[in-house]
Amino acid sequence: MSDKTRQKPYARTIPHPLFERLIVDDAMNVEKDEWKPERYHEYGYFPGCVDFMDVEVKFTHLNKGDADHASIAAASIKLLNYADIDPLILDMNVFKCSGHDQLWQGNLEVFDSLKEHNMRRLKESGIKIITCSCAECYRTFAVDYDLPGTLGIKVEHITQTLQGRGLKFKAPENVTVSYHDPCRLGRMMGEYEAPRDLIQLVDGATMVELENNKERALCCGVSSMMYCNDATKAVRRKRLDQGTDAGIDIMLGGCPKCYMHMQCMLNEERMNPEEGHHHDYEMMDLMQFLVACLEDEK
Amino acid sequence: MSDTDITAFATEGNRDLHILYGSQSGNSEGLAEKWKKEGLKYGLTTTVHDMDGFDINSMSGMSRVMIVCSTWGEGEMPDNAEELYETAVGVGKILTNTHFSICALGDTGYDLFCQSGKDWDKTMEDMGGSRIHDRVDCDVDFEDPAEQWMNGAMSKLACVDNDGNFQANLVEDMISYASGAVVESEPETVVEEGAGTSAYQAMGTSSLFFHKPNKWLKRVKEAVDDDSIPTTGIEKAKDMFKELRKITLKSLPQGKDYIALVDNEKCIGCTQCVYFCNFASIDMISWDLTARTSQFESKKALILDDTCVGCTLCAFACPVEAITMESKV
């Protein structure tokens, strides 16, 4: 981003202010201590703020307890181990939020503070490749932090890390799934094939494409926690309707925020049946789906 | 014991069962109402009492009491139970003939898990009541443990005879009597389900508030339930949210001089405040925005001024801080 765009004012209304406030508090609390990992790791895994999301949705009961964000991180670690990768966990105890939301909302002071902290920690960690289960963190590290250019660290989305490692999955039952392209991973970073390749590895899962897919994919309605109103919900419902049209059992996503907001709407519809909208399938993160399809051997 | 004995036992004499609920968000109340019907299987005449306005002295005349109570905030009683609990603590040994059992609802995310249920358990014992079935402490997914507790407690309470003595040898007969009763009453319930054709029942869920986790989520949870997987900072997140929660509670002005106001720009229509409001003074209103978005009907919260007492519960519940407390003057 050029310096000119940085002059823009802070976004007008931000939903999830509690969540935002915690991230900002965390960012402004500067830690000077040095940190050193116990041993050398080639890979680092950055779970991002999924734990905070998990606590928030349970705290506010917005998802009525039916969304488990923390399991995305646990599932990713398990899958990385399954692919014989022993990652260094760059969790929120040592690292901070990647600052994606703050950057896009225009809260640049906070973003700079988060970036500075994370860059220092990344230097200390000594990893060669960083992998993220969140499409937004992936974009932020690759483009806004420019890690390959500054620190020489390769940035991967977890689907790219797991791709081509000879993994095998078996679905517990025959399912029809489809993949919802997150904007940060698809249109911004051009990665469409890695998640689809992973889904092809699942024995028993039939992959169908939604009406709008790849670069023409519809938006989930909320990126960077910017806004949640009737307009964004209309976009989301349109996307969910496409899932029903395709006759799927599960919609898979590559970004926790797509998962969070789609799941929220599915729950809302279940709670208000009198409104007559019902989508008879589940929303899941791709990592959750794969870990549920993991065979017990190995 | 022959069949005729148990039938006579279950239908004659004093068969009153009293369920008291202490409820903040409606879960306990929902359970109490649900279990009212279950009592019929055991031949019990069930009365459900709100703890608010209940006379503690009237409990001395009750031989069968079930209490279901949730925990609010940092181990506090729900609003409707607070007064009753305070009087109960100082009332003395009045429950010589009463058999009771407690179902405590809570959240392991808080330090004082199910504290109010534990408090009731102790107080009822201090008052001289005899605990007929062990207390159950339920976490957020309370449905299954609560159901189990209900089956255990109710079958035992049903074996308390006319004079208030517990006939332990009758419990097994009573359970088989109750399961027989299920078969008899089944056609009735089928008719009921057929009559109510809401989309909700078609979905196969049993109640409005408690949508059970889907089977895929269960599989995910089983797959990641592994001690070798490191946790990724959820403890830190929990601590930070707890701290923020305390600060939010302290910062809100409270009382009859204040009223809650909704900012329509921020409101996302999640209806969370409606569930929290104890005074039914929040409504979801449709605003006509069809010109902008033809596909989605926007609903926003609206506070009714005349019944709002300024308790701050809704402001506390709002996930997007769209509700503020404003001075009435």
Side-chain angles (χ1 to χ4, degrees):
Chain A
M1 282 204 163
S2 72
D3 278 353
K4 222 174 196 181
T5 52
R6 302 193 125 215
Q7 301 302 322
K8 281 189 180 168
Y10 190 31
R12 191 166 45 106
T13 52
I14 312 283
H16 305 276
L18 301 177
F19 178 78
E20 288 299 322
R21 216 193 286 167
L22 288 189
I23 300 286
V24 172
D25 278 359
D26 201 27
M28 291 309 170
N29 180 19
V30 180
E31 291 165 34
K32 295 261 191 258
D33 299 349
E34 285 208 359
W35 168 76
K36 218 174 153 44
E38 284 171 13
R39 62 197 166 83
Y40 169 76
H41 295 260
E42 187 188 6
Y43 275 86
Y45 167 66
F46 186 78
C49 54
V50 282
D51 291 318
F52 281 75
M53 281 188 194
D54 192 69
V55 180
E56 201 222 2
V57 295
K58 279 174 187 157
F59 166 74
T60 62
H61 297 245
L62 209 58
N63 275 319
K64 321 300 173 207
D66 194 9
D68 193 355
H69 296 81
S71 68
I72 299 178
S76 303
I77 296 169
K78 189 158 182 179
L79 287 164
L80 285 171
N81 290 341
Y82 179 58
D84 285 334
I85 297 172
D86 174 25
L88 176 64
I89 313 297
L90 312 175
D91 63 21
M92 295 288 261
N93 289 322
V94 187
F95 278 71
K96 287 179 179 175
C97 165
S98 69
H100 171 276
D101 295 359
Q102 285 67 35
L103 176 67
W104 287 80
Q105 288 162 4
N107 201 351
L108 296 160
E109 198 188 332
V110 175
F111 173 72
D112 288 341
S113 162
L114 290 165
K115 182 179 169 183
E116 192 192 328
H117 177 88
N118 287 341
M119 293 283 262
R120 198 175 74 238
R121 287 281 190 256
L122 279 168
K123 232 180 266 176
E124 288 165 350
S125 70
I127 54 164
K128 295 275 175 285
I129 303 167
I130 182 168
T131 177
C132 322
S133 50
C134 168
E136 294 185 333
C137 298
Y138 168 53
R139 187 223 126 93
T140 311
F141 285 140
V143 178
D144 301 316
Y145 283 32
D146 192 19
L147 288 184
T150 50
L151 297 180
I153 295 175
K154 196 179 168 200
V155 187
E156 284 180 352
H157 189 255
I158 190 153
T159 51
Q160 296 166 331
T161 315
L162 296 175
Q163 190 188 19
R165 287 183 181 267
L167 304 182
K168 279 201 180 89
F169 304 98
K170 191 172 185 336
E173 57 186 87
N174 284 342
V175 283
T176 312
V177 300
S178 75
Y179 177 68
H180 163 76
D181 287 281
C183 50
R184 264 52 177 170
L185 186 60
R187 277 189 290 269
M188 285 192 175
M189 303 303 292
E191 185 56 76
Y192 301 106
E193 293 311 320
R196 286 178 170 76
D197 283 357
L198 279 180
I199 297 169
Q200 299 296 349
L201 296 176
V202 183
D203 184 19
T206 319
M207 167 86 184
V208 292
E209 289 291 353
L210 299 173
E211 192 185 330
N212 293 58
N213 56 59
K214 299 193 178 171
E215 52 277 87
R216 297 190 186 280
L218 287 189
C219 179
C220 72
V222 181
S223 83
S224 35
M225 297 278 195
M226 197 78 88
Y227 218 112
C228 180
N229 58 15
D230 42 309
T232 65
K233 282 181 182 174
V235 174
R236 207 174 308 151
R237 177 157 292 159
K238 204 170 172 188
R239 187 55 159 172
L240 290 175
D241 283 345
Q242 290 191 347
T244 307
D245 292 345
I248 56 170
D249 299 317
I250 303 171
M251 190 190 273
L252 301 173
C255 174
K257 268 174 205 154
C258 299
Y259 169 61
M260 180 184 197
H261 292 97
M262 298 272 204
Q263 180 74 294
C264 178
M265 177 165 248
L266 289 174
N267 275 318
E268 199 180 313
E269 288 167 355
R270 281 173 190 146
M271 308 233 344
N272 304 308
E274 71 279 359
E275 287 177 7
H277 298 283
H278 182 57
H279 297 98
D280 194 19
Y281 58 87
E282 301 292 345
M283 178 76 196
M284 277 174 99
D285 193 272
L286 181 53
M287 292 305 117
Q288 293 178 327
F289 177 67
L290 290 181
V291 89
C293 298
L294 210 55
E295 283 177 290
D296 283 333
E297 306 92 63
K298 194 177 174 180
Chain B
M1 282 272 166
S2 67
D3 286 333
T4 46
D5 277 335
I6 191 76
T7 313
F9 184 88
T11 47
E12 286 165 18
N14 168 21
R15 299 295 292 162
D16 288 340
L17 168 68
H18 299 271
I19 305 180
L20 275 77
Y21 66 85
S23 192
Q24 189 78 31
S25 57
N27 288 343
S28 304
E29 187 179 356
L31 286 175
E33 291 294 341
K34 195 170 139 199
W35 294 339
K36 191 176 174 180
K37 282 185 194 158
E38 292 285 324
L40 292 174
K41 293 180 189 168
Y42 298 92
L44 293 166
T45 320
T46 312
T47 321
V48 174
H49 302 272
D50 188 342
M51 282 196 185
D52 195 16
F54 182 81
D55 179 14
I56 192 73
N57 291 313
S58 70
M59 203 187 270
S60 58
M62 302 174 177
S63 52
R64 308 175 189 92
V65 175
M66 283 164 88
I67 292 181
V68 47
C69 189
S70 60
T71 303
W72 174 246
E74 301 298 324
E76 290 153 30
M77 286 285 163
D79 282 352
N80 72 335
E82 217 161 325
E83 210 179 309
L84 184 70
Y85 181 71
E86 274 164 26
T87 35
V89 169
V91 80
K93 275 189 180 287
I94 58 165
L95 304 179
T96 46
N97 244 349
T98 306
H99 298 268
F100 73 92
S101 185
I102 314 278
C103 171
L105 304 185
D107 185 341
T108 37
Y110 295 98
D111 288 342
L112 296 168
F113 171 56
C114 284
Q115 189 56 41
S116 57
K118 289 171 188 167
D119 289 346
W120 270 115
D121 206 15
K122 187 175 178 302
T123 310
M124 289 292 281
E125 197 171 29
D126 291 346
M127 283 161 74
S130 45
R131 189 184 301 105
I132 199 161
H133 189 72
D134 284 341
R135 184 189 74 240
V136 63
D137 295 337
C138 308
D139 201 356
V140 183
D141 296 326
F142 57 84
E143 276 195 313
D144 289 341
E147 194 74 23
Q148 269 180 23
W149 169 85
M150 184 275 295
N151 285 329
M154 209 176 265
S155 57
K156 284 182 186 166
L157 283 168
C159 298
V160 173
D161 66 14
N162 226 350
D163 307 320
N165 298 318
F166 173 46
Q167 308 284 351
N169 55 342
L170 284 178
V171 174
E172 274 182 27
D173 285 346
M174 188 55 80
I175 292 170
S176 58
Y177 171 78
S179 60
V182 177
V183 179
E184 281 165 28
S185 64
E186 209 162 42
E188 230 172 87
T189 50
V190 167
V191 171
E192 259 177 43
E193 277 176 17
T197 49
S198 70
Y200 188 69
Q201 277 165 338
M203 270 149 49
T205 39
S206 55
S207 84
L208 191 63
F209 289 90
F210 334 120
H211 170 65
K212 281 186 180 162
N214 64 61
K215 58 184 173 183
W216 279 95
L217 199 63
K218 257 185 200 163
R219 282 176 192 145
V220 174
K221 279 185 178 162
E222 277 164 23
V224 298
D225 185 19
D226 185 346
D227 290 338
S228 64
I229 299 175
T231 55
T232 51
I234 196 150
E235 295 305 323
K236 184 186 174 187
K238 272 185 188 166
D239 287 348
M240 287 182 79
F241 266 97
K242 235 184 224 178
E243 200 56 40
L244 187 68
R245 206 183 157 129
K246 277 180 199 160
I247 295 167
T248 317
L249 259 187
K250 276 181 195 155
S251 68
L252 292 168
Q254 199 172 9
K256 63 177 170 37
D257 296 337
Y258 291 92
I259 189 167
L261 267 187
V262 180
D263 182 347
N264 267 356
E265 280 272 294
K266 288 185 179 173
C267 178
I268 57 170
C270 71
T271 69
Q272 196 56 39
C273 48
V274 180
Y275 298 131
F276 266 73
C277 186
N278 279 341
F279 305 93
S281 70
I282 307 182
D283 231 338
M284 298 305 290
I285 300 287
S286 284
W287 302 89
D288 189 16
L289 288 174
T290 43
R292 274 177 60 198
T293 53
S294 55
Q295 298 203 356
F296 200 85
E297 190 187 23
S298 166
K299 279 197 174 179
K300 309 273 182 193
L302 181 79
I303 312 265
L304 311 174
D305 317 12
D306 48 350
T307 45
C308 177
V309 296
C311 68
T312 72
L313 264 180
C314 54
F316 186 57
C318 183
V320 297
E321 286 186 345
I323 303 182
T324 47
M325 301 307 295
E326 302 291 336
S327 173
K328 271 184 182 173
V329 191

